[in-house]
Amino acid sequence: MISEASAPSPEELGCFLSQYGAWLLGSGSTCIRVEKNINRMAQAFGMDVEITLLPRHLQIAVCRCGRDSVATCLSAVCQTPTSFNIITRLSELSWAIADGRIDFATAKQRFDQIVCSDRQNKTAVLLMVALANASFCRLFGGDAAAMAIVGIATLCGYFLKTVMIERGIDIRAVFIICALVSSILGATGILFPYGSTPYIAVATSVLYLVPGIPFLNSFSDLLHRHYICAFSRFADAVILTGCLSAGLCGGMLLMKIGMF
Amino acid sequence: METPLIVWCCTVGLILILLILRLMPHHISNRKHRIRIFEIGTEREEFFVPGDSLQKYDTIDYNDDF
Amino acid sequence: MIVQVLQDALFAAIASVGFAAISRPPRRAYFYCAVIAAAAHSLRFILMSGDVNIVVATAISSFAAGTIAVLLSHTARTPAETCLFPALLPMIPGMYAYRSFGAMVMCILGEREAEFNHYFYLFASNGFTCVAILLGMVAGATVPMFIFKKISFQATR
């Protein structure tokens, strides 16, 4: 445990921990990890902590062990893209604090560094997603032609997604438009008879949009009895899946293809 | 057979135009007073009430990326 | 059969790494994601070739994925779910999910009773399968985290 002289006040710690939790939850961490990491850090500073996790907010009450004055802090969950890099580095930070390797001031500095330095090469991601969806098409039994079509449809759809998200367009509208474009391009094999599995290409062309991580997080929260967060994440994921289906249905309707 | 072909051609055309515009970053973004025919409004503009300050914020209303 | 299994493992690994890139894992995690996804997806392929139900096959292979992820999390120096969740992405029942929505739309648009019943059946069967697969997958993957609780939450120490 860190000595009392270098330990922060409950207010300071509460503020830091609520920010920490807001970033961790916003980056797509499961509720159980948020609880574990925050408790670990609070214990290192000799404090007790109670956490209220809500889908868009996080409330933390901190008090020194055995004393009755409580500091409460409330933070809005950060609306940031899912980032396992942030989750990993914030978890490392929590252990560095718990093991007494860094003091509170350094921890705050490092936290700011972590949340500011999460950069990604967009072109590399675009190519990787296209390749991944093409492989996915293969897993569903698509031939080389279908794989090529799915790769190009994904490339265009994901490129469009990046552009629209940069412009601040509502994520649901983005999903509908991207699914529409990807499914129209995915139907190339049907329009210009090419390859032997054109229908698999259409069906798999939108799979890169399926919100897999929110689905997994929601069920993980459900198993850990964080029902409110679980249902909220599930609702988010279902709405996005609905939008993607709407785009796909639209695309199939325009291209005169039946889904079933 | 006509409609799917037209839709497909339009989609490919639009994507190509977008790609070309993105590959020429200085073409549009550096013009100071560009005329916009279509523009997507922000949430702030949507809930604007006369009397609200006209200050522009850089925040993006929706940036959830899954 | 062996060639098919290896092919399945290879493409699952590529799919997992590509989809993982969207959720920004640390660079060192990509390799572990690929290994776990290849193992889990090929196991599911083998089980499903042996006529095991998709839900059961997914739960068993997710359990295997969870165990490998927890055991590797110390070597990878990442939380178990950083390698595990992206590795599970190729098994997400995306097609069932959007087919159930598609069937729902057709259900609403359907004019005759027989048509409605048919699409309602498709909606329900796809929807239930999707939820059951997800539940089985997460339950299977989470059990190893409970069993090896100490390892899984101390990986980044």
Side-chain angles (χ1 to χ4, degrees):
Chain A
M1 202 170 88
I2 292 161
S3 69
E4 196 144 320
S6 63
S9 67
E11 289 80 11
E12 282 176 313
L13 185 68
C15 187
F16 170 71
L17 290 182
S18 69
Q19 285 288 317
Y20 176 95
W23 269 96
L24 201 57
L25 206 57
S27 302
S29 171
T30 50
C31 291
I32 179 114
R33 182 159 296 281
V34 177
E35 274 185 342
K36 289 246 175 211
N37 288 7
I38 289 179
N39 274 315
R40 182 184 301 148
M41 288 189 285
Q43 274 169 13
F45 292 115
M47 310 249 189
D48 276 335
V49 64
E50 290 297 338
I51 310 161
T52 312
L53 285 169
L54 292 167
R56 291 182 78 103
H57 293 89
L58 179 118
Q59 191 179 15
I60 287 186
V62 185
C63 70
R64 279 191 207 286
C65 292
R67 299 188 197 170
D68 50 3
S69 68
V70 177
T72 308
C73 284
L74 181 70
S75 282
V77 170
C78 300
Q79 298 295 311
T80 169
T82 304
S83 169
F84 281 115
N85 189 29
I86 290 187
I87 297 172
T88 305
R89 292 175 69 192
L90 288 181
S91 287
E92 281 168 355
L93 178 68
S94 78
W95 276 114
I97 295 174
D99 292 342
R101 277 181 273 136
I102 54 172
D103 62 0
F104 185 64
T106 321
K108 272 173 82 171
Q109 254 178 15
R110 208 177 277 183
F111 172 73
D112 290 336
Q113 250 173 21
I114 291 172
V115 298
C116 292
S117 64
D118 189 41
R119 295 275 178 271
Q120 211 182 17
N121 182 344
K122 283 182 183 167
T123 318
V125 175
L126 182 66
L127 294 173
M128 281 166 85
V129 173
L131 193 66
N133 215 20
S135 310
F136 216 35
C137 171
R138 176 77 195 191
L139 285 178
F140 280 96
D143 58 4
M147 280 173 78
I149 290 169
V150 168
I152 292 168
T154 309
L155 208 64
C156 295
Y158 196 79
F159 167 71
L160 207 61
K161 186 183 171 203
T162 333
V163 172
M164 286 194 286
I165 283 175
E166 264 173 26
R167 297 247 156 183
I169 298 174
D170 189 309
I171 188 78
R172 289 155 292 191
V174 171
F175 267 60
I176 296 176
I177 297 168
C178 290
L180 184 78
V181 168
S182 289
S183 57
I184 289 173
L185 295 180
T188 308
I190 299 171
L191 201 61
F192 310 103
Y194 182 54
S196 54
T197 52
Y199 287 93
I200 293 178
V202 189
T204 49
S205 60
V206 292
L207 284 179
Y208 69 97
L209 287 169
V210 173
I213 301 290
F215 267 129
L216 289 172
N217 275 340
S218 83
F219 277 85
S220 173
D221 287 347
L222 190 78
L223 291 178
H224 290 103
R225 299 195 297 171
H226 282 282
Y227 298 122
I228 296 178
C229 281
F231 285 124
S232 152
R233 282 175 163 175
F234 186 69
D236 263 343
V238 167
I239 286 169
L240 290 180
T241 313
C243 293
L244 117 77
S245 313
L248 178 69
C249 286
M252 286 180 146
L253 211 68
L254 287 171
M255 300 306 281
K256 294 186 176 158
I257 310 165
M259 188 181 269
F260 301 103
Chain B
M1 199 59 209
E2 285 293 301
T3 324
L5 193 65
I6 294 166
V7 169
W8 189 88
C9 290
C10 289
T11 311
V12 172
L14 284 174
I15 292 281
L16 284 177
I17 290 170
L18 192 71
L19 250 172
I20 292 164
L21 289 180
R22 286 285 288 192
L23 291 177
M24 294 194 294
H26 301 291
H27 176 68
I28 278 187
S29 58
N30 280 5
R31 251 196 279 164
K32 276 190 179 166
H33 300 289
R34 59 185 161 139
I35 302 157
R36 288 178 175 173
I37 302 170
F38 293 110
E39 202 177 345
I40 290 159
T42 61
E43 200 175 63
R44 189 179 158 75
E45 285 162 344
E46 196 179 320
F47 296 112
F48 179 83
V49 175
D52 284 358
S53 68
L54 293 171
Q55 189 192 348
K56 288 263 180 189
Y57 285 102
D58 287 335
T59 50
I60 296 165
D61 297 305
Y62 292 101
N63 56 357
D64 323 355
D65 180 14
F66 292 98
Chain C
M1 179 74 178
I2 294 170
V3 177
Q4 276 177 316
V5 172
L6 288 176
Q7 223 177 41
D8 189 86
L10 173 71
F11 287 114
I14 299 173
S16 147
V17 168
F19 290 139
I22 303 177
S23 42
R24 311 177 180 205
R27 273 193 193 157
R28 60 179 184 270
Y30 282 114
F31 171 70
Y32 298 97
C33 285
V35 170
I36 298 165
H41 208 277
S42 51
L43 177 63
R44 187 172 86 151
F45 179 77
I46 294 167
L47 289 172
M48 282 174 69
S49 308
D51 277 343
V52 179
N53 178 278
I54 186 167
V55 179
V56 181
T58 309
I60 294 171
S61 44
S62 305
F63 178 79
T67 312
I68 304 171
V70 170
L71 296 177
L72 285 181
S73 61
H74 251 291
T75 327
R77 285 180 295 111
T78 59
E81 65 260 32
T82 299
C83 298
L84 177 60
F85 283 6
L88 293 179
L89 289 179
M91 292 199 288
I92 291 275
M95 237 184 231
Y96 285 102
Y98 72 64
R99 273 197 180 142
S100 65
F101 271 96
M104 191 176 77
V105 173
M106 298 302 286
C107 202
I108 296 161
L109 298 177
E111 282 163 4
R112 285 189 302 276
E113 192 181 341
E115 215 177 339
F116 180 91
N117 286 344
H118 174 65
Y119 286 120
F120 192 80
Y121 158 75
L122 284 176
F123 163 64
S125 81
N126 281 299
F128 286 152
T129 315
C130 173
V131 171
I133 292 175
L134 277 170
L135 201 60
M137 185 191 290
V138 179
T142 316
V143 169
M145 284 200 211
F146 273 117
I147 299 174
F148 308 108
K149 213 168 189 175
K150 208 165 181 185
I151 303 177
S152 64
F153 284 101
Q154 288 197 351
T156 47
R157 192 167 196 167

mmCIF file of all heavy atoms in Angstrom, chain C residues 38-71:
data_model
loop_
_atom_site.group_PDB
_atom_site.id
_atom_site.type_symbol
_atom_site.label_atom_id
_atom_site.label_comp_id
_atom_site.label_asym_id
_atom_site.label_seq_id
_atom_site.Cartn_x
_atom_site.Cartn_y
_atom_site.Cartn_z
ATOM 1 N N ALA C 38 -7.758 -19.524 -35.065
ATOM 2 C CA ALA C 38 -7.517 -20.707 -35.900
ATOM 3 C C ALA C 38 -7.886 -21.975 -35.136
ATOM 4 O O ALA C 38 -8.596 -22.840 -35.667
ATOM 5 C CB ALA C 38 -6.060 -20.746 -36.333
ATOM 6 N N ALA C 39 -7.435 -22.062 -33.882
ATOM 7 C CA ALA C 39 -7.722 -23.253 -33.077
ATOM 8 C C ALA C 39 -9.226 -23.410 -32.864
ATOM 9 O O ALA C 39 -9.791 -24.491 -33.079
ATOM 10 C CB ALA C 39 -7.004 -23.156 -31.738
ATOM 11 N N ALA C 40 -9.886 -22.303 -32.468
ATOM 12 C CA ALA C 40 -11.308 -22.391 -32.123
ATOM 13 C C ALA C 40 -12.164 -22.685 -33.348
ATOM 14 O O ALA C 40 -13.046 -23.548 -33.299
ATOM 15 C CB ALA C 40 -11.757 -21.084 -31.480
ATOM 16 N N HIS C 41 -11.902 -21.973 -34.448
ATOM 17 C CA HIS C 41 -12.756 -22.144 -35.627
ATOM 18 C C HIS C 41 -12.581 -23.525 -36.245
ATOM 19 O O HIS C 41 -13.553 -24.144 -36.686
ATOM 20 C CB HIS C 41 -12.483 -21.044 -36.652
ATOM 21 C CG HIS C 41 -13.678 -20.739 -37.500
ATOM 22 N ND1 HIS C 41 -13.994 -21.478 -38.613
ATOM 23 C CD2 HIS C 41 -14.651 -19.806 -37.380
ATOM 24 C CE1 HIS C 41 -15.103 -20.992 -39.145
ATOM 25 N NE2 HIS C 41 -15.521 -19.971 -38.420
ATOM 26 N N SER C 42 -11.334 -24.022 -36.251
ATOM 27 C CA SER C 42 -11.142 -25.347 -36.849
ATOM 28 C C SER C 42 -11.768 -26.430 -35.964
ATOM 29 O O SER C 42 -12.310 -27.408 -36.478
ATOM 30 C CB SER C 42 -9.666 -25.628 -37.107
ATOM 31 O OG SER C 42 -8.927 -25.387 -35.961
ATOM 32 N N LEU C 43 -11.718 -26.208 -34.645
ATOM 33 C CA LEU C 43 -12.377 -27.162 -33.738
ATOM 34 C C LEU C 43 -13.881 -27.184 -34.006
ATOM 35 O O LEU C 43 -14.508 -28.246 -34.069
ATOM 36 C CB LEU C 43 -12.095 -26.795 -32.272
ATOM 37 C CG LEU C 43 -12.776 -27.663 -31.228
ATOM 38 C CD1 LEU C 43 -12.295 -29.115 -31.321
ATOM 39 C CD2 LEU C 43 -12.519 -27.143 -29.807
ATOM 40 N N ARG C 44 -14.449 -25.981 -34.200
ATOM 41 C CA ARG C 44 -15.883 -25.912 -34.493
ATOM 42 C C ARG C 44 -16.190 -26.598 -35.820
ATOM 43 O O ARG C 44 -17.196 -27.302 -35.951
ATOM 44 C CB ARG C 44 -16.356 -24.451 -34.536
ATOM 45 C CG ARG C 44 -17.873 -24.352 -34.664
ATOM 46 C CD ARG C 44 -18.388 -22.964 -34.532
ATOM 47 N NE ARG C 44 -18.360 -22.239 -35.798
ATOM 48 C CZ ARG C 44 -19.205 -21.262 -36.110
ATOM 49 N NH1 ARG C 44 -20.128 -20.884 -35.238
ATOM 50 N NH2 ARG C 44 -19.121 -20.632 -37.249
ATOM 51 N N PHE C 45 -15.309 -26.403 -36.790
ATOM 52 C CA PHE C 45 -15.495 -27.039 -38.100
ATOM 53 C C PHE C 45 -15.515 -28.559 -37.954
ATOM 54 O O PHE C 45 -16.386 -29.232 -38.504
ATOM 55 C CB PHE C 45 -14.362 -26.590 -39.036
ATOM 56 C CG PHE C 45 -14.428 -27.199 -40.405
ATOM 57 C CD1 PHE C 45 -15.346 -26.732 -41.346
ATOM 58 C CD2 PHE C 45 -13.588 -28.242 -40.764
ATOM 59 C CE1 PHE C 45 -15.408 -27.292 -42.605
ATOM 60 C CE2 PHE C 45 -13.651 -28.798 -42.031
ATOM 61 C CZ PHE C 45 -14.571 -28.328 -42.953
ATOM 62 N N ILE C 46 -14.562 -29.082 -37.160
ATOM 63 C CA ILE C 46 -14.497 -30.545 -36.958
ATOM 64 C C ILE C 46 -15.773 -31.038 -36.270
ATOM 65 O O ILE C 46 -16.388 -32.023 -36.689
ATOM 66 C CB ILE C 46 -13.250 -30.924 -36.124
ATOM 67 C CG1 ILE C 46 -11.981 -30.601 -36.916
ATOM 68 C CG2 ILE C 46 -13.259 -32.405 -35.732
ATOM 69 C CD1 ILE C 46 -10.713 -30.649 -36.097
ATOM 70 N N LEU C 47 -16.178 -30.312 -35.219
ATOM 71 C CA LEU C 47 -17.378 -30.732 -34.470
ATOM 72 C C LEU C 47 -18.608 -30.698 -35.360
ATOM 73 O O LEU C 47 -19.429 -31.616 -35.341
ATOM 74 C CB LEU C 47 -17.575 -29.825 -33.255
ATOM 75 C CG LEU C 47 -16.580 -29.993 -32.110
ATOM 76 C CD1 LEU C 47 -16.770 -28.905 -31.067
ATOM 77 C CD2 LEU C 47 -16.748 -31.359 -31.453
ATOM 78 N N MET C 48 -18.719 -29.624 -36.165
ATOM 79 C CA MET C 48 -19.908 -29.516 -37.016
ATOM 80 C C MET C 48 -19.887 -30.541 -38.147
ATOM 81 O O MET C 48 -20.947 -30.965 -38.612
ATOM 82 C CB MET C 48 -20.052 -28.094 -37.550
ATOM 83 C CG MET C 48 -20.618 -27.158 -36.482
ATOM 84 S SD MET C 48 -20.664 -25.464 -36.979
ATOM 85 C CE MET C 48 -21.923 -25.486 -38.220
ATOM 86 N N SER C 49 -18.695 -30.920 -38.574
ATOM 87 C CA SER C 49 -18.612 -31.992 -39.584
ATOM 88 C C SER C 49 -19.098 -33.308 -38.994
ATOM 89 O O SER C 49 -19.594 -34.175 -39.709
ATOM 90 C CB SER C 49 -17.183 -32.179 -40.068
ATOM 91 O OG SER C 49 -16.654 -30.972 -40.472
ATOM 92 N N GLY C 50 -18.935 -33.459 -37.680
ATOM 93 C CA GLY C 50 -19.412 -34.664 -36.988
ATOM 94 C C GLY C 50 -20.851 -34.538 -36.535
ATOM 95 O O GLY C 50 -21.248 -35.165 -35.550
ATOM 96 N N ASP C 51 -21.628 -33.644 -37.199
ATOM 97 C CA ASP C 51 -23.065 -33.471 -36.927
ATOM 98 C C ASP C 51 -23.392 -32.963 -35.531
ATOM 99 O O ASP C 51 -24.476 -33.233 -35.007
ATOM 100 C CB ASP C 51 -23.824 -34.787 -37.177
ATOM 101 C CG ASP C 51 -24.139 -34.947 -38.660
ATOM 102 O OD1 ASP C 51 -24.065 -33.928 -39.370
ATOM 103 O OD2 ASP C 51 -24.422 -36.077 -39.090
ATOM 104 N N VAL C 52 -22.477 -32.237 -34.921
ATOM 105 C CA VAL C 52 -22.802 -31.609 -33.624
ATOM 106 C C VAL C 52 -23.548 -30.316 -33.934
ATOM 107 O O VAL C 52 -23.208 -29.612 -34.890
ATOM 108 C CB VAL C 52 -21.503 -31.316 -32.824
ATOM 109 C CG1 VAL C 52 -21.813 -30.638 -31.497
ATOM 110 C CG2 VAL C 52 -20.724 -32.602 -32.584
ATOM 111 N N ASN C 53 -24.545 -29.999 -33.116
ATOM 112 C CA ASN C 53 -25.344 -28.787 -33.310
ATOM 113 C C ASN C 53 -24.457 -27.544 -33.238
ATOM 114 O O ASN C 53 -23.500 -27.497 -32.463
ATOM 115 C CB ASN C 53 -26.413 -28.751 -32.202
ATOM 116 C CG ASN C 53 -27.263 -27.516 -32.276
ATOM 117 O OD1 ASN C 53 -26.873 -26.464 -31.808
ATOM 118 N ND2 ASN C 53 -28.430 -27.646 -32.870
ATOM 119 N N ILE C 54 -24.805 -26.513 -34.037
ATOM 120 C CA ILE C 54 -23.941 -25.314 -34.122
ATOM 121 C C ILE C 54 -23.768 -24.620 -32.754
ATOM 122 O O ILE C 54 -22.683 -24.140 -32.416
ATOM 123 C CB ILE C 54 -24.469 -24.326 -35.206
ATOM 124 C CG1 ILE C 54 -23.484 -23.172 -35.381
ATOM 125 C CG2 ILE C 54 -25.852 -23.812 -34.892
ATOM 126 C CD1 ILE C 54 -23.711 -22.309 -36.587
ATOM 127 N N VAL C 55 -24.842 -24.603 -31.946
ATOM 128 C CA VAL C 55 -24.761 -23.930 -30.640
ATOM 129 C C VAL C 55 -23.772 -24.673 -29.732
ATOM 130 O O VAL C 55 -22.886 -24.059 -29.115
ATOM 131 C CB VAL C 55 -26.158 -23.857 -29.974
ATOM 132 C CG1 VAL C 55 -26.072 -23.188 -28.619
ATOM 133 C CG2 VAL C 55 -27.140 -23.129 -30.860
ATOM 134 N N VAL C 56 -23.914 -25.991 -29.674
ATOM 135 C CA VAL C 56 -23.043 -26.805 -28.817
ATOM 136 C C VAL C 56 -21.595 -26.716 -29.323
ATOM 137 O O VAL C 56 -20.654 -26.509 -28.541
ATOM 138 C CB VAL C 56 -23.510 -28.282 -28.807
ATOM 139 C CG1 VAL C 56 -22.625 -29.120 -27.902
ATOM 140 C CG2 VAL C 56 -24.961 -28.369 -28.359
ATOM 141 N N ALA C 57 -21.444 -26.824 -30.661
ATOM 142 C CA ALA C 57 -20.093 -26.774 -31.240
ATOM 143 C C ALA C 57 -19.432 -25.436 -30.930
ATOM 144 O O ALA C 57 -18.244 -25.384 -30.566
ATOM 145 C CB ALA C 57 -20.177 -26.981 -32.748
ATOM 146 N N THR C 58 -20.211 -24.342 -31.040
ATOM 147 C CA THR C 58 -19.650 -23.014 -30.764
ATOM 148 C C THR C 58 -19.272 -22.886 -29.292
ATOM 149 O O THR C 58 -18.213 -22.347 -28.957
ATOM 150 C CB THR C 58 -20.664 -21.910 -31.148
ATOM 151 O OG1 THR C 58 -21.103 -22.143 -32.465
ATOM 152 C CG2 THR C 58 -20.047 -20.540 -31.054
ATOM 153 N N ALA C 59 -20.134 -23.397 -28.406
ATOM 154 C CA ALA C 59 -19.843 -23.297 -26.964
ATOM 155 C C ALA C 59 -18.566 -24.072 -26.630
ATOM 156 O O ALA C 59 -17.707 -23.563 -25.891
ATOM 157 C CB ALA C 59 -21.020 -23.836 -26.157
ATOM 158 N N ILE C 60 -18.428 -25.268 -27.185
ATOM 159 C CA ILE C 60 -17.230 -26.078 -26.880
ATOM 160 C C ILE C 60 -15.977 -25.390 -27.420
ATOM 161 O O ILE C 60 -14.973 -25.245 -26.710
ATOM 162 C CB ILE C 60 -17.371 -27.501 -27.486
ATOM 163 C CG1 ILE C 60 -18.508 -28.249 -26.784
ATOM 164 C CG2 ILE C 60 -16.065 -28.284 -27.337
ATOM 165 C CD1 ILE C 60 -18.877 -29.575 -27.425
ATOM 166 N N SER C 61 -16.041 -24.906 -28.674
ATOM 167 C CA SER C 61 -14.831 -24.281 -29.229
ATOM 168 C C SER C 61 -14.526 -22.947 -28.551
ATOM 169 O O SER C 61 -13.355 -22.577 -28.415
ATOM 170 C CB SER C 61 -14.923 -24.133 -30.741
ATOM 171 O OG SER C 61 -16.169 -23.660 -31.094
ATOM 172 N N SER C 62 -15.564 -22.230 -28.091
ATOM 173 C CA SER C 62 -15.305 -20.994 -27.346
ATOM 174 C C SER C 62 -14.639 -21.308 -26.017
ATOM 175 O O SER C 62 -13.788 -20.545 -25.539
ATOM 176 C CB SER C 62 -16.591 -20.240 -27.069
ATOM 177 O OG SER C 62 -17.252 -20.007 -28.231
ATOM 178 N N PHE C 63 -15.058 -22.424 -25.409
ATOM 179 C CA PHE C 63 -14.424 -22.826 -24.147
ATOM 180 C C PHE C 63 -12.930 -23.081 -24.388
ATOM 181 O O PHE C 63 -12.078 -22.624 -23.616
ATOM 182 C CB PHE C 63 -15.107 -24.079 -23.589
ATOM 183 C CG PHE C 63 -14.488 -24.578 -22.313
ATOM 184 C CD1 PHE C 63 -14.772 -23.969 -21.106
ATOM 185 C CD2 PHE C 63 -13.595 -25.648 -22.332
ATOM 186 C CE1 PHE C 63 -14.187 -24.417 -19.932
ATOM 187 C CE2 PHE C 63 -13.004 -26.100 -21.162
ATOM 188 C CZ PHE C 63 -13.297 -25.488 -19.958
ATOM 189 N N ALA C 64 -12.646 -23.768 -25.496
ATOM 190 C CA ALA C 64 -11.235 -24.026 -25.840
ATOM 191 C C ALA C 64 -10.508 -22.710 -26.074
ATOM 192 O O ALA C 64 -9.390 -22.499 -25.567
ATOM 193 C CB ALA C 64 -11.165 -24.898 -27.090
ATOM 194 N N ALA C 65 -11.184 -21.782 -26.814
ATOM 195 C CA ALA C 65 -10.565 -20.478 -27.092
ATOM 196 C C ALA C 65 -10.296 -19.720 -25.796
ATOM 197 O O ALA C 65 -9.216 -19.139 -25.612
ATOM 198 C CB ALA C 65 -11.480 -19.654 -27.996
ATOM 199 N N GLY C 66 -11.289 -19.755 -24.888
ATOM 200 C CA GLY C 66 -11.139 -19.057 -23.599
ATOM 201 C C GLY C 66 -9.969 -19.604 -22.806
ATOM 202 O O GLY C 66 -9.175 -18.848 -22.237
ATOM 203 N N THR C 67 -9.855 -20.938 -22.792
ATOM 204 C CA THR C 67 -8.760 -21.561 -22.030
ATOM 205 C C THR C 67 -7.402 -21.153 -22.616
ATOM 206 O O THR C 67 -6.499 -20.747 -21.872
ATOM 207 C CB THR C 67 -8.902 -23.100 -22.059
ATOM 208 O OG1 THR C 67 -10.246 -23.419 -21.745
ATOM 209 C CG2 THR C 67 -7.966 -23.771 -21.078
ATOM 210 N N ILE C 68 -7.295 -21.233 -23.943
ATOM 211 C CA ILE C 68 -6.012 -20.860 -24.570
ATOM 212 C C ILE C 68 -5.714 -19.384 -24.285
ATOM 213 O O ILE C 68 -4.582 -19.022 -23.946
ATOM 214 C CB ILE C 68 -6.037 -21.098 -26.102
ATOM 215 C CG1 ILE C 68 -6.389 -22.557 -26.415
ATOM 216 C CG2 ILE C 68 -4.706 -20.743 -26.734
ATOM 217 C CD1 ILE C 68 -6.656 -22.826 -27.888
ATOM 218 N N ALA C 69 -6.763 -18.529 -24.411
ATOM 219 C CA ALA C 69 -6.557 -17.087 -24.213
ATOM 220 C C ALA C 69 -6.068 -16.792 -22.802
ATOM 221 O O ALA C 69 -5.150 -15.988 -22.600
ATOM 222 C CB ALA C 69 -7.854 -16.338 -24.486
ATOM 223 N N VAL C 70 -6.689 -17.449 -21.808
ATOM 224 C CA VAL C 70 -6.286 -17.198 -20.417
ATOM 225 C C VAL C 70 -4.853 -17.672 -20.193
ATOM 226 O O VAL C 70 -4.037 -16.974 -19.574
ATOM 227 C CB VAL C 70 -7.260 -17.893 -19.438
ATOM 228 C CG1 VAL C 70 -6.730 -17.848 -18.023
ATOM 229 C CG2 VAL C 70 -8.620 -17.233 -19.494
ATOM 230 N N LEU C 71 -4.533 -18.842 -20.744
ATOM 231 C CA LEU C 71 -3.178 -19.366 -20.539
ATOM 232 C C LEU C 71 -2.124 -18.524 -21.280
ATOM 233 O O LEU C 71 -0.992 -18.396 -20.816
ATOM 234 C CB LEU C 71 -3.100 -20.832 -20.981
ATOM 235 C CG LEU C 71 -3.985 -21.792 -20.165
ATOM 236 C CD1 LEU C 71 -3.898 -23.199 -20.727
ATOM 237 C CD2 LEU C 71 -3.610 -21.792 -18.688
#
